[in-house]
Amino acid sequence: MKRILLPTDFSNNAWNALFTAVKVYANVECQFYLLHTYEPNALNLLGRKNEKRLGVIYNSLAEYSTQELRKILDYLHKNHNNPSHSFECISKSRVLEEAIQEIIPTKDIDIVVMGTQGATGAKEIFMGSNAVKVLKKIKNYPVLVVPSEYNFQNLKTLVLPTNYTQTYRKQQLSALTELVTIWNAKIQILHVTAEFELNDIQNDNREVLKNYFSTLDYSFYNAEFEEDISHSIEKYLSKNTVDLMAMIRYEHTFWEKVIGEPVIKKITFHSKIPVLILPEYE
């Protein structure tokens, strides 16, 4: 059984992530965990003299959390008629990323699915703060990030941008290969660089990918570096029909070291398709 964690703040964006998750894994036996967290840190500014008032507000937050989760559950029971799917609600008084860290091992979570609302400037920082914090903390598990306006219908093509400089591990790619197998999708391995000739290390890593994907439908593509990595990938996506993008998380990636560009963060917030952030392993 697939165990999927769905953080929610009850927004339309969170609902869209939920709908995407149940469609992506429609033909898979799944246990979904709906998580809402509340942490009234700002209310601590009221001070000790207002502890009673703080307690009342805190209780209200707990009641609201439970009530709204129950509404989601009621909706799913009435409208989601998939016998392979079951749902459980979790309400926690905790910072979101800390709650996720606690729940992943206790519930044996396979993947986290959450929404993000693409924007620019200060609005991006505000609206995307939860997703940023989760991606910073949850490094050893796959996270599927769903844009607010995306309407998932099918998974025919998945793109994996890479420069072949990092070593690939089979466990890292398992969430990707699982989805491709479920949907019988094609993998486009996209090499983004200003120099397409590969060195020995890159050739070896490319062979590793060929070995891992040997039973799947995959092909190699090149994208010329223009302006920055994010722009180069976006340009490729705009010219090709792609349903989902996967990116391997590495601490201090080659792209960041050489170009100073936080590629995963930029791609995650500006992508118009879901982004599967694959885990980092030592």
Side-chain angles (χ1 to χ4, degrees):
M1 177 181 286
K2 192 82 174 169
R3 298 177 181 272
I4 300 173
L5 183 61
L6 289 160
T8 181
D9 59 0
F10 312 125
S11 65
N12 290 336
N13 188 27
W15 274 101
N16 190 50
L18 166 59
F19 293 147
T20 300
V22 297
K23 286 190 285 186
V24 167
Y25 294 101
N27 297 317
V28 179
E29 186 178 3
C30 295
Q31 173 70 53
F32 293 94
Y33 296 92
L34 301 164
L35 169 67
H36 179 255
T37 63
Y38 53 97
E39 180 60 30
N41 287 332
L43 299 179
N44 291 333
L45 296 175
L46 291 171
R48 291 187 173 276
K49 293 182 179 179
N50 293 282
E51 282 183 357
K52 184 176 180 180
R53 182 183 171 196
L54 177 59
V56 170
I57 297 174
Y58 198 90
N59 289 337
S60 296
L61 290 172
E63 291 173 7
Y64 173 77
S65 177
T66 302
Q67 170 187 300
E68 294 302 309
L69 284 171
R70 197 172 291 135
K71 286 181 182 178
I72 296 177
L73 210 55
D74 289 343
Y75 174 88
L76 291 168
H77 285 156
K78 291 177 183 177
N79 299 283
H80 185 65
N81 302 313
N82 188 333
S84 297
H85 291 174
S86 54
F87 300 87
E88 180 179 323
C89 295
I90 303 173
S91 177
K92 272 187 173 290
S93 172
R94 184 77 86 243
V95 175
L96 176 61
E97 60 272 22
E98 292 178 357
I100 292 175
Q101 281 184 310
E102 291 177 4
I103 292 168
I104 283 177
T106 58
K107 297 295 186 181
D108 194 22
I109 299 298
D110 295 299
I111 187 170
V112 179
V113 181
M114 65 185 302
T116 186
Q117 186 164 337
T120 57
K123 186 180 178 185
E124 177 182 274
I125 295 171
F126 177 75
M127 296 303 294
S129 59
N130 279 338
V132 169
K133 291 173 184 176
V134 170
L135 290 176
K136 283 182 178 179
K137 286 281 187 180
I138 311 303
K139 297 184 178 182
N140 297 324
Y141 295 88
V143 179
L144 179 62
V145 181
V146 182
S148 58
E149 301 300 322
Y150 189 76
N151 181 18
F152 180 87
Q153 296 297 323
N154 205 340
L155 175 52
K156 295 180 178 180
T157 304
L158 179 151
V159 66
L160 174 66
T162 183
N163 56 14
Y164 304 120
T165 59
Q166 306 284 357
T167 301
Y168 309 104
R169 299 178 185 272
K170 197 169 187 177
Q171 190 177 2
Q172 270 182 312
L173 300 167
S174 61
L176 181 160
T177 55
E178 180 187 43
L179 281 176
V180 169
T181 302
I182 291 169
W183 288 90
N184 194 27
K186 297 179 180 180
I187 306 172
Q188 296 181 358
I189 303 168
L190 181 64
H191 183 206
V192 183
T193 182
E195 177 54 64
F196 293 117
E197 186 174 347
L198 304 182
N199 59 34
D200 290 343
I201 292 175
Q202 289 175 306
N203 275 315
D204 288 345
N205 289 331
R206 190 175 188 269
E207 289 301 311
V208 169
L209 280 183
K210 290 171 69 174
N211 180 51
Y212 287 160
F213 296 155
S214 60
T215 61
L216 304 173
D217 186 351
Y218 71 91
S219 50
F220 293 99
Y221 293 82
N222 290 326
E224 188 172 352
F225 176 82
E226 294 184 19
E227 294 183 30
D228 57 38
I229 295 293
S230 304
H231 176 79
S232 304
I233 294 173
E234 287 170 4
K235 185 175 180 180
Y236 177 85
L237 294 176
S238 69
K239 294 182 177 181
N240 296 273
T241 303
V242 176
D243 304 298
L244 190 145
M245 175 164 46
M247 299 196 74
I248 300 174
R249 176 203 292 278
Y250 289 106
E251 193 70 30
H252 308 302
T253 65
F254 172 84
W255 283 330
E256 286 193 38
K257 286 184 193 174
V258 176
I259 306 168
E261 181 186 353
V263 176
I264 286 182
K265 182 178 176 182
K266 290 178 69 174
I267 292 279
T268 300
F269 285 110
H270 295 283
S271 176
K272 295 180 181 178
I273 60 175
V275 181
L276 176 62
I277 309 298
L278 298 170
E280 171 184 53
Y281 291 107
E282 296 180 358

